[in-house]
Amino acid sequence: MRPIGAAVRFPRPPILPAALLALALASPARATTVSVQPADTLVTVGDTFTVRIVTDAVTDLKAFELIFSFDPTRLQLVGADPGDVLTQSGNPYSAFLVPDDAAPADSAWYDAAMLVGSASGPGILDFFRFKALSIGASGIQCQAVDFRDSQNDRTLPDCVSGAAHVAGAVPARRTSWGRVLGCYR
């Protein structure tokens, strides 16, 4: 039994370092996101179409690498062109499509770097051009995105995939010349 008037001792809570406490109280930082736009694309067999690979706010972007996969029975990669993130400054840059090293060709791999200075976003990183081969859906799946700054520090942004839906040709009713003339009489 404890004597009357004796101090009561409670266990002391652990003291968190100031940095941990500040981290716990701070709102979460917004991560950079790279996405396919439009997220869903509807095309017809035989069409050549373009999707944009877009980033939101990014600063000091010296180089980047993009790897996306797709269904080679539905889509064929035709090419890639640099977006405004590379071209807007007017500074020289290097950008190229890395060829797929194994059959079937089922990936779009794009490497780019600013040769002078660095780039910033938001904006379009590149345009992938595809040809629709057969009816069905193909994801344009993000496999890897790697951003590098002027110090060659690596950032791995979040990535949002897209899809291409390939439809068959829509049959049209045959129209004779007489029927066309009838519309304008």
Side-chain angles (χ1 to χ4, degrees):
M1 191 168 227
R2 182 175 40 126
I4 298 178
V8 177
R9 294 192 167 240
F10 292 101
R12 186 172 164 191
I15 298 174
L16 293 175
L20 238 117
L21 184 60
L23 182 63
L25 297 176
S27 62
R30 187 171 157 244
T32 302
T33 302
V34 172
S35 60
V36 176
Q37 289 187 1
D40 283 318
T41 303
L42 178 62
V43 294
T44 305
V45 172
D47 286 352
T48 299
F49 65 98
T50 302
V51 295
R52 298 177 303 276
I53 307 300
V54 178
T55 184
D56 55 13
V58 62
T59 57
D60 191 24
L61 182 61
K62 184 71 174 174
F64 61 89
E65 177 181 64
L66 308 170
I67 304 173
F68 286 82
S69 64
F70 55 90
D71 182 350
T73 63
R74 306 274 182 251
L75 304 177
Q76 175 187 12
L77 181 64
V78 177
D81 297 308
D84 63 351
V85 169
L86 289 174
T87 61
Q88 71 186 349
S89 70
N91 290 334
Y93 61 87
S94 170
F96 57 93
L97 193 58
V98 178
D100 207 336
D101 63 349
D106 61 353
S107 65
W109 188 336
Y110 190 74
D111 280 340
M114 296 298 296
L115 302 177
V116 174
S118 64
S120 62
I124 301 169
L125 295 169
D126 88 296
F127 298 91
F128 282 132
R129 288 186 321 267
F130 292 98
K131 181 175 182 179
L133 300 177
S134 64
I135 297 171
S138 172
I140 301 172
Q141 301 291 326
C142 181
Q143 298 300 316
V145 176
D146 183 0
F147 283 180
R148 300 294 176 124
D149 66 13
S150 296
Q151 303 301 316
N152 200 28
D153 290 331
R154 183 180 205 183
T155 301
L156 301 173
D158 294 332
C159 193
V160 179
S161 301
H165 304 278
V166 183
V170 178
R173 194 170 95 188
R174 297 192 90 182
T175 303
S176 67
W177 182 245
R179 187 175 292 155
V180 171
L181 288 174
C183 292
Y184 292 102
R185 290 187 180 172

